[in-house]
């Protein structure tokens, strides 16, 4: 049973929910079935999740209320599976032993590595064929054509930002599981890190770079405080963090300059930022129409976009105040448990890596919407569950 679920976690990110909705539906049914069988056989670890009961129950209540008051109940019921799958796989990850959590994380890393190879292949060989096909078919949007013409990789997702956000989550996990005792050339994690980092750069996603930058600062900052199992306060960041900051600022500046040379206004980073700000204001207007109950799951729509490019605003708009508050409460509860038990954990570096990976995802969703894409969100729910101690 565990092997089947780990296999399903491994293949999740290869199935784009927007590009292959029917395949995504079949996958989701199979995943839900095996998750239910697992949790029925193993039982939900009620004692273990004692501190999570209140936020989880409130979040489920918020989902129910949002469906009851939904402007399109059928559409909300169709969207519900994403949340149920996420919560169940979260509970599944919590129920795993330490060794099985490592196996789950390795499955995620291996999938990320293969996807990075696919993205690199797309950059060097795939764009010309896709561009020729789309030009003949004349069905692609101007944004899709611009991604291809400017060689921003996105496969197997539909946007470079989604791919970038997904790859960024995996980098802290690689660092956390890195075995320093192995020769670097014999260590597969070295090649995983190089490939995933390179593919991340090829997305040219400033949002993804900003999120991984923030996550790595958190990782190295807390790693530098570990000394004989205790966190020791220090006033200054160590040299690794300073070097990281300098390096990433240079990389982000280069990516910004490359994208700033675009000939079409809508491909400029400044245009992207302005559009996001407009989306946020539109989302706030939707929130004002139903701040307590929300408009219902899946019923969020803007004039020129399906997503708010801020998952927290969209979650509030769809599930109401109870939904966003209980979700943030759940995040705080998981982080609190991880930090509280870091000194007694057998692998402190792993906990710091998990916290950093979560931070990458949560920061990226301030400016994007991968929380609403199961090919990325379910991977985060697994990482989120593995973080809880």
């Amino acid at each position: 049973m565990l092997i089947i679920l780990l296999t399903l976690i491994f293949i999740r990110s290869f199935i784009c929910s927007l590009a292959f909705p029917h395949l995504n539906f079949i996958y989701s049914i199979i995943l839900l079935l095996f998750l239910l069988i697992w949790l029925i056989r193993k039982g939900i670890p009620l004692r273990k999740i004692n501190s999570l009961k209140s936020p989880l129950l409130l979040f489920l209540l918020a989902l129910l209320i949002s469906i009851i008051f939904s402007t399109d109940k059928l559409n909300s019921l169709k969207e519900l599976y994403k949340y149920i799958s996420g919560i169940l796989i979260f509970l599944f990850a919590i129920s795993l032993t330490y060794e099985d959590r490592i196996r789950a994380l390795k499955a995620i890393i291996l999938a990320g590595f293969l996807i990075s190879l696919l993205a690199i292949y797309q950059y060097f060989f795939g764009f010309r064929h896709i561009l020729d096909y789309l030009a003949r078919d004349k069905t692609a949007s101007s944004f899709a054509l611009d991604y291809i013409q400017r060689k921003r990789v996105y496969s197997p997702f539909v946007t470079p930002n989604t791919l970038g956000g997904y790859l960024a989550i995996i980098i802290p996990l690689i660092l956390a599981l890195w075995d320093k005792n192995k020769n670097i050339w014999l260590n597969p994690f070295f090649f995983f890190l190089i490939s995933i980092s390179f593919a991340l750069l090829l997305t040219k996603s400033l949002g993804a770079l900003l999120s991984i930058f923030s996550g790595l600062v958190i990782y190295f900052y807390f790693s530098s405080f570990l000394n004989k199992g205790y966190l020791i306060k220090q006033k200054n960041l160590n040299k690794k963090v300073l070097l990281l900051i300098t390096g990433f600022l240079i990389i982000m500046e280069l990516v910004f300059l490359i994208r700033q040379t675009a000939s079409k206004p809508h491909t400029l980073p400044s245009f992207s930022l302005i559009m996001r700000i407009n989306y946020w204001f539109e989302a706030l207007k939707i929130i004002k129409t139903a701040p307590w109950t929300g408009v219902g799951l899946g019923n969020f729509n803007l004039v020129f976009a399906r997503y708010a490019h801020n998952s927290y605003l969209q979650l509030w708009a769809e599930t109401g105040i109870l939904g966003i508050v209980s979700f943030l409460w759940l995040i705080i509860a998981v982080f609190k448990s991880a930090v509280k038990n870091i000194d007694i954990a057998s692998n402190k570096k792993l906990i710091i890596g998990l916290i950093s990976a979560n931070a990458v995802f949560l920061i990226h969703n301030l400016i994007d919407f991968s929380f609403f894409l199961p090919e990325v969100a379910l991977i985060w729910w697994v990482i989120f569950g593995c973080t809880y101690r």
Side-chain angles (χ1 to χ4, degrees):
M1 181 64 67
L2 177 63
I3 297 298
I4 294 174
L5 283 167
L6 291 181
T7 302
L8 288 171
I9 291 171
F10 171 79
I11 65 175
R12 170 62 273 191
S13 297
F14 292 91
I15 304 172
C16 178
S17 59
L18 297 177
F20 305 103
H22 299 301
L23 182 59
N24 177 68
F25 175 76
I26 295 171
Y27 170 90
S28 300
I29 294 297
I30 295 172
L31 177 65
L32 282 171
L33 177 63
F34 281 101
L35 283 174
L36 287 171
I37 293 173
W38 171 276
L39 292 174
I40 290 171
R41 289 179 58 184
K42 298 289 183 178
I44 297 175
L46 294 177
R47 290 185 180 181
K48 198 171 184 180
I49 64 169
N50 190 53
S51 62
L52 303 181
K53 288 179 183 177
S54 295
L56 272 175
L57 290 174
L58 284 177
F59 189 60
L60 290 171
L61 178 61
L63 297 178
L64 178 61
I65 292 173
S66 72
I67 293 174
I68 292 173
F69 291 93
S70 173
T71 55
D72 186 344
K73 291 181 175 57
L74 181 60
N75 190 48
S76 295
L77 287 171
K78 290 179 181 178
E79 194 74 6
L80 182 62
Y81 83 92
K82 294 181 182 178
Y83 295 91
I84 299 302
S85 299
I87 292 171
L88 289 180
I89 208 164
F90 171 65
L91 294 174
F92 159 75
I94 289 177
S95 72
L96 294 176
T97 63
Y98 173 80
E99 291 76 14
D100 289 338
R101 290 187 184 193
I102 296 297
R103 292 188 181 97
L105 295 175
K106 286 183 176 179
I108 291 172
I109 292 172
L110 180 58
F113 170 64
L114 294 177
I115 285 176
S116 71
L117 293 179
L118 183 62
I120 292 170
Y121 174 85
Q122 182 186 39
Y123 181 82
F124 287 105
F125 306 105
F127 282 124
R128 183 174 59 82
H129 302 297
I130 297 174
L131 193 59
D132 291 342
Y133 170 78
L134 293 177
R136 291 194 305 269
D137 200 46
K138 297 181 180 180
T139 57
S141 68
S142 59
F143 283 97
L145 290 173
D146 286 330
Y147 291 151
I148 298 169
Q149 290 170 345
R150 299 198 61 77
K151 301 193 76 172
R152 294 186 63 192
V153 298
Y154 57 86
S155 184
F157 305 118
V158 293
T159 71
N161 294 330
T162 304
L163 175 60
Y166 163 77
L167 294 173
I169 299 171
I170 299 173
I171 291 176
L173 301 180
I174 295 175
L175 295 176
L177 294 179
W178 189 293
D179 186 356
K180 292 183 177 179
N181 296 322
K182 281 188 177 181
N183 184 298
I184 191 170
W185 300 108
L186 300 177
N187 191 340
F189 286 97
F190 170 73
F191 299 101
F192 294 167
L193 181 62
I194 295 298
S195 180
I196 290 173
S197 299
F198 184 48
L200 174 58
L201 288 174
L202 295 180
T203 66
K204 301 175 186 175
S205 172
L206 290 171
L209 288 173
L210 177 62
S211 63
I212 185 56
F213 168 71
S214 303
L216 290 179
V217 167
I218 292 171
Y219 179 84
F220 287 113
Y221 184 80
F222 282 103
S223 293
S224 68
F225 288 171
L226 288 178
N227 183 22
K228 296 181 180 179
Y230 295 93
L231 290 173
I232 300 176
K233 294 182 179 180
Q234 296 179 357
K235 293 182 178 179
N236 301 316
L237 294 174
N238 61 10
K239 292 181 180 179
K240 287 183 180 179
V241 177
L242 291 174
L243 182 62
L244 176 69
I245 292 173
T246 304
F248 260 91
L249 287 176
I250 294 172
I251 291 172
M252 290 182 68
E253 180 66 22
L254 289 173
V255 172
F256 178 83
L257 291 174
I258 291 171
R259 289 185 58 186
Q260 196 65 28
T261 59
S263 57
K264 298 180 181 179
H266 67 267
T267 61
L268 297 174
S270 55
F271 179 87
S272 179
L273 177 60
I274 292 171
M275 289 302 297
R276 277 173 166 77
I277 294 173
N278 290 334
Y279 295 154
W280 300 342
F281 278 111
E282 285 188 63
L284 289 172
K285 290 179 181 178
I286 294 175
I287 289 171
K288 288 181 180 179
T289 64
W292 303 106
T293 61
V295 296
L297 303 180
N299 293 335
F300 182 90
N301 279 294
L302 302 177
V303 177
F304 296 109
R306 167 66 181 86
Y307 301 100
H309 289 74
N310 181 310
S311 294
Y312 308 98
L313 288 178
Q314 185 164 339
L315 184 63
W316 186 356
E318 292 191 356
T319 64
I321 189 69
L322 185 60
I324 185 62
V325 169
S326 57
F327 179 69
L328 294 176
W329 184 3
L330 181 63
I331 291 171
I332 292 171
V334 171
F335 274 38
K336 185 178 179 181
S337 74
V339 173
K340 182 179 178 181
N341 293 288
I342 193 169
D343 280 337
I344 59 176
S346 58
N347 192 337
K348 301 171 181 62
K349 190 173 73 165
L350 177 62
I351 297 180
I352 293 173
L354 288 166
I355 292 173
S356 303
N358 280 284
V360 170
F361 178 83
L362 296 171
I363 291 170
H364 190 247
N365 274 273
L366 286 168
I367 54 176
D368 219 275
F369 52 86
S370 57
F371 177 76
F372 296 96
L373 302 176
E375 55 267 34
V376 181
L378 276 180
I379 300 304
W380 171 71
W381 279 108
V382 174
I383 295 170
F384 194 44
C386 290
T387 308
Y388 183 74
R389 312 302 294 178

XYZ file of all heavy atoms in Angstrom, residues 5-6 69 75 95 139 169 179 182-183 190 193 220-221 234 258 262 293 312 323 326 333 356:
185
model
N 1.099 4.415 -2.835
C 0.904 5.832 -2.516
C 2.147 6.653 -2.833
O 2.041 7.784 -3.332
C 0.507 5.976 -1.049
C -0.951 5.618 -0.745
C -1.187 5.480 0.741
C -1.893 6.647 -1.340
N 3.326 6.094 -2.573
C 4.559 6.804 -2.920
C 4.683 6.951 -4.437
O 5.165 7.978 -4.931
C 5.772 6.066 -2.353
C 5.926 6.068 -0.822
C 7.192 5.315 -0.414
C 5.956 7.487 -0.277
N -23.296 28.357 0.773
C -23.609 29.712 0.311
C -23.014 30.009 -1.066
O -22.969 31.158 -1.489
C -23.098 30.745 1.323
C -23.846 30.739 2.627
C -23.393 29.985 3.702
C -25.009 31.478 2.774
C -24.081 29.968 4.905
C -25.706 31.469 3.970
C -25.245 30.703 5.044
N -20.285 23.665 -9.165
C -18.885 23.979 -9.427
C -18.055 23.864 -8.147
O -16.921 23.389 -8.175
C -18.773 25.399 -10.002
C -17.376 25.700 -10.517
O -16.793 24.913 -11.255
N -16.831 26.836 -10.124
N 1.102 10.398 9.420
C 1.068 9.028 9.952
C 2.328 8.229 9.633
O 2.531 7.147 10.195
C -0.153 8.285 9.404
O 0.007 7.979 8.022
N -3.881 28.223 -32.372
C -4.760 28.149 -31.207
C -4.113 28.713 -29.954
O -4.774 28.864 -28.939
C -5.159 26.694 -30.920
O -3.965 25.908 -30.726
C -5.963 26.112 -32.067
N 10.603 24.627 -4.476
C 10.245 23.906 -3.245
C 11.225 22.780 -2.964
O 11.536 22.469 -1.809
C 8.822 23.317 -3.368
C 7.792 24.416 -3.570
C 8.461 22.501 -2.131
C 6.409 23.882 -3.907
N 24.073 14.165 2.012
C 25.031 13.449 2.865
C 26.426 14.010 2.607
O 27.035 13.750 1.570
C 24.988 11.949 2.562
C 25.856 11.144 3.523
O 26.541 11.761 4.368
O 25.840 9.898 3.423
N 29.605 11.737 1.717
C 29.809 11.127 0.403
C 30.654 12.031 -0.483
O 30.571 13.250 -0.395
C 28.466 10.857 -0.281
C 27.745 9.616 0.224
C 26.539 9.325 -0.656
C 25.848 8.043 -0.212
N 24.681 7.742 -1.080
N 31.441 11.404 -1.343
C 32.167 12.155 -2.357
C 31.163 12.877 -3.246
O 30.174 12.294 -3.682
C 33.012 11.183 -3.198
C 33.870 11.914 -4.211
O 33.358 12.596 -5.098
N 35.179 11.756 -4.093
N 23.924 15.876 -5.593
C 24.675 16.957 -6.240
C 24.131 17.194 -7.649
O 23.895 18.341 -8.051
C 26.157 16.597 -6.292
C 26.973 17.526 -7.149
C 27.263 18.815 -6.727
C 27.446 17.117 -8.393
C 28.008 19.680 -7.523
C 28.188 17.965 -9.191
C 28.473 19.252 -8.747
N 20.658 18.716 -7.536
C 20.689 20.147 -7.222
C 21.085 20.972 -8.440
O 20.476 22.009 -8.725
C 21.673 20.397 -6.076
C 21.799 21.849 -5.601
C 20.472 22.354 -5.044
C 22.904 21.972 -4.559
N 19.848 28.519 5.659
C 21.220 28.721 6.113
C 21.285 29.536 7.405
O 22.191 29.355 8.212
C 22.049 29.396 5.015
C 22.385 28.476 3.882
C 21.867 28.674 2.617
C 23.219 27.385 4.083
C 22.170 27.819 1.572
C 23.533 26.515 3.051
C 23.005 26.735 1.796
N 20.325 30.408 7.588
C 20.302 31.218 8.814
C 20.115 30.322 10.031
O 20.881 30.394 10.984
C 19.173 32.247 8.717
C 19.109 33.200 9.893
C 19.963 34.288 9.976
C 18.182 33.009 10.909
C 19.909 35.163 11.043
C 18.113 33.874 11.985
C 18.965 34.954 12.040
O 18.912 35.809 13.103
N 22.703 34.658 17.461
C 23.842 35.396 16.923
C 23.319 36.664 16.282
O 22.211 36.690 15.739
C 24.596 34.557 15.886
C 25.223 33.308 16.484
C 25.942 32.492 15.410
O 25.921 32.826 14.239
N 26.567 31.412 15.833
N 17.378 40.677 -18.509
C 17.073 39.875 -19.696
C 15.607 40.036 -20.079
O 15.269 40.247 -21.243
C 17.416 38.393 -19.452
C 18.944 38.209 -19.364
C 16.840 37.516 -20.562
C 19.353 36.823 -18.911
N 12.535 42.792 -23.432
C 11.440 42.299 -24.285
C 10.873 43.423 -25.130
O 10.760 44.563 -24.685
C 10.339 41.689 -23.416
N -18.738 34.305 4.253
C -18.998 32.967 3.719
C -18.214 32.662 2.449
O -18.042 31.501 2.093
C -20.489 32.787 3.405
O -20.879 33.757 2.407
C -21.334 33.023 4.662
N -3.795 33.568 -0.951
C -4.451 33.895 0.312
C -5.688 34.757 0.083
O -6.737 34.536 0.706
C -3.457 34.588 1.251
C -2.191 33.798 1.409
C -1.042 34.105 0.663
C -2.127 32.704 2.267
C 0.114 33.357 0.774
C -0.970 31.950 2.393
C 0.143 32.278 1.635
O 1.287 31.532 1.745
N -12.301 30.499 6.489
C -11.397 29.681 5.688
C -9.964 30.164 5.764
O -9.048 29.381 6.028
N -8.545 29.885 9.536
C -8.241 28.509 9.945
C -7.046 27.956 9.171
O -6.237 27.189 9.726
C -9.464 27.611 9.736
O -9.894 27.641 8.386
N 0.345 26.326 13.490
C 0.392 25.167 14.379
C 1.456 24.165 13.941
O 2.200 23.615 14.767
C -0.981 24.497 14.435
N 11.973 25.334 5.498
C 12.379 26.206 4.385
C 11.578 25.909 3.121
O 11.171 26.832 2.406
C 13.877 26.033 4.112
O 14.637 26.304 5.266
